[in-house]
């Protein structure tokens, strides 16, 4: 999905050709999905992406990701949109015994090497949903990573908008209104992305369960309260990213009924193919790259899917042996505050998804889609102060819901996945302690500012130092 393309400009014939290939490959995907046998007892695999900031000694964005990659010298790292962002990837892990121990061991070593590489170029690596010191002037094309894909995406979005600037407006604790002339706004949000493999026959139920579970996990994980110096949502990344590539869906209008960054339009009924059919029918092609026709890897379908940023995105991947794999990419969680915090968030999400899928029904329990969507945006805006529905009962405080009902459900799901009891209790214990204390990464940042004043450089420095200890955020002091 993140592979580069060779063309920066496209013709009408490119769009026509790509659309024909996309239609054919979507049909082929349907044949592949229908040909899969019922899943056996094998447990799903996991993978992770950490988007991180490069900052200098003054806690300002450091546009040096190419130099960082050279110093890091490892295939698990990649460029991101902005020159001060990098992506760190994990291996693929089988869920089951000692799964999280192995993940922790690998990612700890990856971060150690990444921090050493950042030091070699005179900077520091920081995992945060948004960077408190970031300003609009940092987000210009002069800081765009040198990849044709990014340049072509910027051109395509602006062409769809008839060259009108992107409008960012977030009403939170404070009000942010800003216009931007390119897609670099997207680079202001960095996430921790979880990839969960699924079998084709149950993929639609796993997708639905991920939608239902998204809100409570996000409520417990907020880490992005500030943007351009304004105090906004507990997870300001959510409205930021949704507006950063706003090109709409149907027709040529700048804003259509289906957004490119979206919670979704509804639960899936019978097959994950429904999501890929929606991709083809309702989302205009942005990057009609001249890929080989009759490509057995369904390259057109995968490229098009990569330009639609659902918060839970189905992905058709390719294994090393050339076979397909199907997974759900969960995109709504922020990077940071620490590796243990992120793995605790992962445990809560995976446990809830597995618990929901194990129940009768279509994976979402009794939670209506409208409630799941409303929950998601309430969790993003208010975090642990939000009120959420579960099983379509009356809304209740997120902290009460998580502690009394959802942590036991997550524990049940992790048991079903074969996760060790000690790992289960340790990671869910971090979530429990965080929720009981009320101190997410977002709340810690706000408390720090309340105590010390709105000095974003000093806030970033304190956040960096606490992150360096590795202690989960509920243990951080002011």
């Amino acid at each position: 999905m993140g592979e580069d393309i060779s063309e920066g400009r496209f013709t009408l014939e490119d769009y026509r050709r790509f659309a024909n290939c996309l239609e054919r490959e979507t049909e082929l995907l349907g044949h592949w999905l229908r040909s899969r046998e019922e899943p056996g007892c094998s447990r799903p695999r996991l993978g992770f992406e950490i988007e991180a900031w490069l900052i200098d000694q003054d806690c300002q964005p450091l546009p040096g990701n190419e130099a960082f990659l050279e110093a890091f010298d490892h295939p698990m790292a990649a460029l991101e949109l902005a020159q001060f962002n990098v992506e760190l990837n994990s291996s693929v892990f089988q869920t089951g015994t000692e799964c999280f121990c192995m993940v922790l061991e690998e990612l700890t070593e990856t971060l150690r090497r990444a921090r050493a590489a950042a030091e070699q170029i005179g900077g520091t690596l920081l995992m945060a949903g948004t960077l408190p010191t970031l300003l609009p002037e940092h987000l210009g094309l002069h800081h765009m990573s040198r990849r044709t894909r990014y340049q072509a995406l910027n051109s395509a979005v602006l062409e769809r908008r008839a060259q009108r600037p992107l409008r960012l407006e977030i009403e939170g604790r404070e009000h942010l209104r800003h216009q931007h002339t390119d897609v670099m706004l997207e680079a202001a949000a960095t996430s921790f992305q979880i990839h969960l493999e699924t079998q084709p026959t149950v993929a639609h139920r796993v997708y639905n369960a991920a939608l239902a579970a998204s809100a409570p996990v996000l409520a417990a994980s907020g880490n992005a309260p500030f943007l351009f110096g304004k105090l906004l949502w507990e997870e300001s990344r959510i409205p930021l990213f949704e507006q950063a590539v706003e090109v709409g869906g149907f027709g040529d209008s700048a804003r259509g009924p289906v957004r490119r960054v979206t919670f979704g339009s509804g639960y899936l009924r019978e097959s994950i193919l429904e999501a890929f059919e929606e991709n083809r029918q309702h989302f205009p092609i942005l990057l009609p790259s001249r890929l080989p026709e009759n490509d057995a890897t369904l390259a057109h379908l995968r490229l098009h899917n990569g330009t639609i940023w659902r918060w839970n995105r189905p992905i058709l991947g390719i294994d090393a042996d050339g076979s397909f794999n199907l997974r759900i990419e969960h995109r709504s969680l922020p990077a940071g505050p620490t590796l243990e915090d992120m793995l605790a968030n992962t445990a809560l999400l995976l446990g809830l998804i597995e618990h929901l899928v194990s129940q009768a029904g279509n994976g979402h329990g009794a939670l209506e889609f409208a409630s799941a969507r409303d929950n998601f945006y309430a969790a993003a805006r208010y975090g642990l102060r939000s009120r959420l529905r579960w099983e379509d009962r009356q809304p209740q405080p997120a902290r009460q819901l998580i502690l009394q009902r959802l942590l036991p459900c997550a524990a049940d799901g992790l048991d079903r996945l074969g996760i060790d009891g000690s790992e289960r209790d340790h990671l869910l214990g971090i979530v429990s302690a965080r929720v009981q204390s009320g101190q997410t990464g977002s709340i810690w940042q706000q408390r720090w500012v309340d105590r010390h004043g709105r000095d974003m450089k000093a806030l970033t420095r304190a956040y960096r130092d606490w992150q360096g200890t590795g202690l989960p955020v509920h243990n951080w002091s002011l």
Side-chain angles (χ1 to χ4, degrees), residues 195-245:
H195 291 248
L196 174 62
E197 185 182 40
T198 177
Q199 296 293 330
T201 51
V202 296
H204 64 293
R205 300 179 69 230
V206 174
Y207 174 82
N208 292 343
L211 292 178
S214 292
V217 180
L218 186 63
S221 309
N223 196 33
F226 293 104
L227 179 63
F228 303 156
K230 298 278 191 178
L231 176 58
L232 301 170
W233 292 16
E234 297 296 292
E235 257 306 309
S236 304
R237 295 166 41 259
I238 302 302
L240 164 64
F241 193 33
E242 289 195 350
Q243 297 175 52
V245 287

Side-chain angles (χ1 to χ4, degrees), residues 337-338 340-341 426 430 434 439 469-476:
T338 66
E340 284 218 279
D341 283 306
H426 173 67
I430 290 173
R434 189 195 308 153
Q439 182 160 291
T469 69
L471 289 171
V473 72
H474 69 271
N475 291 312
W476 294 11

Side-chain angles (χ1 to χ4, degrees), residues 10-28:
F10 306 103
T11 66
L12 290 176
E13 176 60 22
D14 291 330
Y15 284 96
R16 186 199 63 77
R17 178 180 175 275
F18 193 98
N20 290 338
C21 291
L22 179 61
E23 182 176 7
R24 182 171 61 252
E25 291 179 7
T26 304
E27 183 177 346
L28 289 172

